[in-house]
Amino acid sequence: MRLVTLFVTIWPLTIAHAFVAPKPNTSLQYKINQGQNLSRRSVRDVPSTSAASALHVSKTDDLASGPSLLTRYSDDGFTLSTPQRYSVSNWAENLANIPQSQILQRVQSHLLFNFVWSCGLVALCYIPLDVQEIFPYPPVFDKLDLYVPFGMSSGILGILLAFRSDQSYQRFWQGRQIWVEVISTERSIARCLRYLDNPDDEYVPCMRRWLLTFPVALMQHLRGERSLSEFTALTDQDLELMEQSDNMPIACLMVLTELLNTVRLEPTQASSDLLWWQMDSLLEKLTHAIGAGEAIAGTPVPLSYTRHTSRLLSLWTILCPLVLIQAIPPLAVPFVTLVLSWTLLATEEIGHIIEEPFGIHDDRPNILNLDRYCEIIANDIQLMSATNVMLDGYSFKGKLASSASTDFKKKSF
């Protein structure tokens, strides 16, 4: 009965973060998830390796297959499909895949220690020993009930785990929102390039080249990487500039700023100041995205809080067999200890993983598929840059202005 009370005490607090976690604004996302047909490019336009990774669905583990599932962009190549999510119909498959769980592999050493420790305690129960003769203790210890401290500490442990998971999810969602801003801003800048009046033949391709480079540079910067070979859109002269830069995303923005300044100084450009102001405000959003990403990648969860939670969790699971021996048959104690330890340690480990969404640590998986986001930006910029003859019918080329002027003259006295 006490064991049941222990479960009832700790579990509601452990899963409380599911109700207190911030809910994102999913008005548009909800429509997308309901199967709205949003026209997209064909998979035939995507390189074969990328298309295969976009359509591949792994079913081994939640987090092991998380990036490919959460960022799978299209299933038929033309529509934005519903992301793969958990379904109650997959419960049997999820149970069968527990041995392949990535979370289980990360906490297996701690689970093995707790299992061996509980087996040793159970073995002592079958050895005829008079503890009073070996270790004399006062009679007051005969009334010792280990369940009381465990019952009191279980609530504290549940609160710590819930708060830990909630903070980790907030960091994960903030990281995703940063890349939402990057993707939308890059699209807006590429669209604004169509407002240029008779630009130089080299100007627009140069702008697009650096727009393609920025997300890749930001991805490497947030992951602590540096690989010039991934900047396939740049020329040799551009690569020399990037090689001399300590902060490659900032270098991209400085080049874009210089290129954008040409719009303001161009005397033949209509509304040059207004267009420059609009595009410069978009570059400010990219600057903000760099700072917001650095804040997450460079500011981990306070180490003292993480250590305190880990220590309390370790002591609780290690001393748990002492309570279980008094409540259930001794032979069942190691297995119950193993299940309890896996439940709590896995919850803590999930928080450790999702708190670093960009993958700056080599020992943790990349939760956010930043390579996929960079590919989305590249394909969208290429699509918006291509000449589409179907749009020619919507270009009036000054006819609207001349028509409005004629109507004004007719109405004037």
Side-chain angles (χ1 to χ4, degrees):
M1 184 62 185
R2 292 177 175 178
L3 183 61
V4 175
T5 307
L6 185 63
F7 270 109
V8 173
T9 304
I10 189 172
W11 270 106
L13 294 172
T14 306
I15 64 173
H17 68 281
F19 300 94
V20 301
K23 300 300 185 298
N25 184 7
T26 57
S27 57
L28 176 59
Q29 182 181 2
Y30 177 79
K31 296 179 181 179
I32 294 176
N33 292 340
Q34 292 303 312
Q36 296 289 340
N37 291 328
L38 301 182
S39 204
R40 295 296 303 172
R41 66 189 183 282
S42 171
V43 171
R44 292 190 297 269
D45 299 333
V46 183
S48 58
T49 56
S50 300
S53 62
L55 301 179
H56 175 68
V57 179
S58 174
K59 297 182 178 180
T60 56
D61 184 63
D62 294 338
L63 287 178
S65 59
S68 61
L69 297 181
L70 293 178
T71 58
R72 188 176 56 144
Y73 206 72
S74 177
D75 54 1
D76 58 5
F78 295 95
T79 58
L80 190 62
S81 61
T82 303
Q84 184 74 19
R85 305 184 191 279
Y86 171 76
S87 175
V88 293
S89 60
N90 298 332
W91 66 271
E93 183 179 1
N94 292 332
L95 287 178
N97 290 331
I98 288 180
Q100 290 80 35
S101 171
Q102 187 178 14
I103 301 299
L104 178 61
Q105 296 174 5
R106 295 176 65 89
V107 300
Q108 61 182 357
S109 60
H110 202 164
L111 295 180
L112 180 61
F113 174 82
N114 289 349
F115 182 78
V116 174
W117 163 256
S118 60
C119 289
L121 292 179
V122 171
L124 292 177
C125 296
Y126 292 93
I127 298 178
L129 294 176
D130 191 349
V131 181
Q132 179 65 25
E133 295 180 359
I134 301 176
F135 302 103
Y137 55 86
V140 67
F141 285 94
D142 292 335
K143 301 180 179 180
L144 180 63
D145 189 356
L146 295 178
Y147 175 79
V148 175
F150 268 79
M152 297 175 61
S153 62
S154 60
I156 301 176
L157 181 62
I159 294 175
L160 286 176
L161 286 178
F163 183 75
R164 182 74 173 83
S165 301
D166 177 63
Q167 294 298 313
S168 299
Y169 177 79
Q170 288 186 23
R171 291 169 59 89
F172 162 77
W173 186 248
Q174 290 174 1
R176 182 64 182 96
Q177 290 300 104
I178 290 173
W179 279 90
V180 168
E181 185 177 22
V182 171
I183 294 174
S184 60
T185 303
E186 290 259 343
R187 290 169 176 169
S188 298
I189 296 177
R191 184 180 59 84
C192 287
L193 294 178
R194 287 189 171 270
Y195 291 124
L196 298 177
D197 297 333
N198 301 320
D200 187 80
D201 294 339
E202 298 293 333
Y203 180 78
V204 175
C206 186
M207 284 285 293
R208 292 168 181 165
R209 188 165 66 243
W210 285 99
L211 287 176
L212 293 174
T213 303
F214 175 80
V216 181
L218 180 60
M219 174 188 66
Q220 293 187 9
H221 182 63
L222 296 179
R223 288 181 175 177
E225 302 173 348
R226 190 180 182 88
S227 177
L228 298 179
S229 61
E230 295 186 9
F231 302 132
T232 57
L234 297 183
T235 62
D236 294 339
Q237 182 180 0
D238 298 334
L239 290 175
E240 292 180 2
L241 174 62
M242 295 294 287
E243 187 177 5
Q244 298 174 2
S245 303
D246 294 332
N247 193 319
M248 293 189 295
I250 294 296
C252 294
L253 287 183
M254 294 307 299
V255 174
L256 289 172
T257 301
E258 291 297 326
L259 293 173
L260 184 58
N261 194 41
T262 306
V263 177
R264 184 173 61 89
L265 300 177
E266 180 60 40
T268 61
Q269 173 64 42
S271 304
S272 59
D273 291 338
L274 180 60
L275 182 59
W276 168 84
W277 173 80
Q278 179 64 32
M279 297 181 69
D280 186 71
S281 64
L282 294 175
L283 291 184
E284 289 182 1
K285 292 184 178 181
L286 295 181
T287 305
H288 176 268
I290 297 175
E294 290 174 342
I296 294 179
T299 310
V301 175
L303 188 59
S304 58
Y305 175 78
T306 305
R307 285 179 174 174
H308 178 70
T309 304
S310 178
R311 290 165 181 166
L312 179 59
L313 187 59
S314 298
L315 291 175
W316 200 92
T317 54
I318 290 175
L319 299 179
C320 184
L322 298 177
V323 179
L324 296 177
I325 288 178
Q326 304 175 7
I328 61 177
L331 293 179
V333 170
F335 302 99
V336 176
T337 302
L338 185 64
V339 173
L340 285 175
S341 301
W342 169 72
T343 303
L344 299 176
L345 295 175
T347 302
E348 182 195 29
E349 185 61 27
I350 291 174
H352 288 162
I353 291 178
I354 66 176
E355 74 179 11
E356 300 293 346
F358 303 134
I360 192 173
H361 295 286
D362 296 334
D363 63 332
R364 302 182 187 182
N366 299 330
I367 299 302
L368 293 179
N369 195 346
L370 304 187
D371 298 276
R372 181 57 179 162
Y373 302 157
C374 295
E375 181 185 351
I376 291 172
I377 294 175
N379 289 327
D380 287 344
I381 292 179
Q382 181 180 3
L383 174 66
M384 300 172 72
S385 304
T387 302
N388 193 336
V389 295
M390 298 182 63
L391 297 178
D392 293 341
Y394 299 95
S395 179
F396 292 93
K397 299 180 180 180
K399 296 179 181 180
L400 182 61
S402 61
S403 176
S405 177
T406 303
D407 293 341
F408 176 77
K409 292 179 180 179
K410 290 181 179 181
K411 294 180 180 179
S412 61
F413 297 96

